Amino acid sequence: MKYNIAVIPGDGIGPEVIEQTMRVLEEIGRKYDHEFAFTKVLAGGCAIDATGECLPKETVDICRSSDAVLLGAVGGPKWDHMPGSERPEMALLGLRGQLGLFANLRPAMLFEELADACPLKPELVSGGLDIVVVRELTGGIYFGEKATVETPEGLEAYDVEKYSETEVRRIAKVAFDMAMKRGKKVTSVDKANVLESSRLWRRVVTEVAADYPEVELNHFYVDNAAMQLVRGPKQFDVIVTSNIFGDILSDEASQVTGSIGMLPSASLATGNFGMYEPVHGSAPDIAGKDIANPMATILSAAMMLRYTFGLMEEAEAIEGAVQKVLADGYRTADIAKEGEDIIGTQKCGDLIVQAIQG
Ligand code: IPM
Ligand code: MG
């Protein structure tokens, strides 16, 4: 079968980690007899340099007509002086909004081989961590009305946090469906003691829960959730929350695992379409040096195989290959301990490809 993938290498280490990921997908294609057809497109800082816009229309069109999108990372100091609405990061928001990618899945898991990297006391994480943050991605304060206006008190700026029942219901369903395939527990995070939008959020999530009697639901205020994530992270299975709270809590959850360079993500639309990217950013300080860890992007490709293409065995082959490379003791600089041998980006790709070949 042929799968069309729009590829956005982007900026910083993006192109390097994407190159290794495409090699891994090609190897999966050879082994399992699939054709992955890649179309590279521009977004982010490199698109600004080439076209004057961070998200050219052609990029959106090609993404739309593809089966899935694979993205490296966007942004860097070169474009930091640009006004907010023109920065490379706006390409991400544009892609999310225009492609309808409302559900962002951010797994935070502790790789057994990297347990030492976890900054928490071992007793807090013994037996491993396996949390997935389900973040609403096309609503809330990121997409609400915003403006800067003149007032007698000087300039005033605002960003509106707003959610409709429909938006809350569809993200809640994603979270409950996910929980059914995992630990059957959903924690909904809001600020219902203060925010009206959170009170609606809580009511709708509770309504959706009625259709999932097997799933245990609890509600946390966001401040408490932030605390519980470092105090007792094992209590979490699926966390469902708004765009802004999910932005914050997913960074916290990933740091708790100690290996942010390892974590993949998926942003899904209705149906099977999705955009897949590592949780880490463009890391401009290490770009072009063959030292970046490509595993998060490679694991994002595994999520693509699983969620968009339904290729479970192939997804597991990638995850197993990454696990094997770690178990064999290979480490990129970001996850190496004192005294461990360090491999580069390219070599890491080589080893994962070899592990897939078996
Ligand atoms: C993320 C990032 C983005 C966000 C930025 C770069 C716009 O922090 O994907 O978490 O806030 O959503
Ligand atoms: Mg973020």
Side-chain angles (χ1 to χ4, degrees), residues 107-111 128-131 253-254 257-259 262-264 299 319:
M109 58 232 169
L110 194 66
F111 293 81
L129 273 187
D130 183 4
I131 304 171
S254 67
T257 71
S259 40
M262 300 292 304
L263 299 178
L299 291 169
E319 289 158 354

Side-chain angles (χ1 to χ4, degrees), residues 46-188:
C46 58
I48 297 176
D49 290 350
T51 71
E53 285 175 286
C54 67
L55 184 60
K57 182 174 175 298
E58 191 196 4
T59 295
V60 179
D61 290 344
I62 290 175
C63 289
R64 262 206 193 106
S65 59
S66 301
D67 300 313
V69 182
L70 181 66
L71 184 143
V74 299
K78 183 175 175 193
W79 305 280
D80 274 352
H81 65 279
M82 303 195 65
S85 60
E86 291 167 31
R87 289 171 63 101
E89 289 82 356
M90 289 311 293
L92 279 181
L93 298 193
L95 284 163
R96 291 169 183 172
Q98 293 183 56
L99 301 174
L101 304 169
F102 71 93
N104 185 207
L105 314 184
R106 295 189 168 181
M109 58 232 169
L110 194 66
F111 293 81
E112 224 180 285
E113 294 81 1
L114 304 177
D116 286 353
C118 173
L120 300 185
K121 289 202 188 104
E123 59 266 32
L124 292 179
V125 293
S126 67
L129 273 187
D130 183 4
I131 304 171
V132 54
V133 178
V134 177
R135 170 188 177 192
E136 200 291 325
L137 202 59
T138 52
I141 199 165
Y142 275 60
F143 288 85
E145 189 195 333
K146 60 183 78 218
T148 304
V149 292
E150 301 259 10
T151 74
E153 272 73 51
L155 289 178
E156 186 179 273
Y158 59 86
D159 303 84
V160 176
E161 170 80 345
K162 184 163 86 174
Y163 272 108
S164 71
E165 282 186 86
T166 309
E167 285 173 312
V168 181
R169 189 166 291 116
R170 70 179 178 177
I171 194 72
K173 280 188 181 153
V174 171
F176 281 96
D177 286 338
M178 177 85 21
M180 284 298 287
K181 296 186 209 139
R182 300 170 36 101
K184 301 206 168 129
K185 181 166 180 193
V186 169
T187 301
S188 173

Side-chain angles (χ1 to χ4, degrees), residues 23-39:
R23 289 180 60 208
V24 167
L25 282 171
E26 271 160 5
E27 195 54 43
I28 290 286
R30 263 191 290 279
K31 179 159 179 181
Y32 294 90
D33 202 16
H34 305 298
E35 186 188 343
F36 297 109
F38 301 112
T39 309

Side-chain angles (χ1 to χ4, degrees), residues 249-291:
L249 293 180
S250 63
D251 264 29
E252 189 189 6
S254 67
Q255 203 56 54
V256 161
T257 71
S259 40
I260 187 165
M262 300 292 304
L263 299 178
S265 81
S267 303
L268 307 176
T270 311
N272 296 328
F273 186 79
M275 181 165 91
Y276 298 84
E277 61 183 300
V279 166
H280 64 68
S282 60
D285 50 322
I286 59 163
K289 298 185 180 162
D290 192 43
I291 54 181

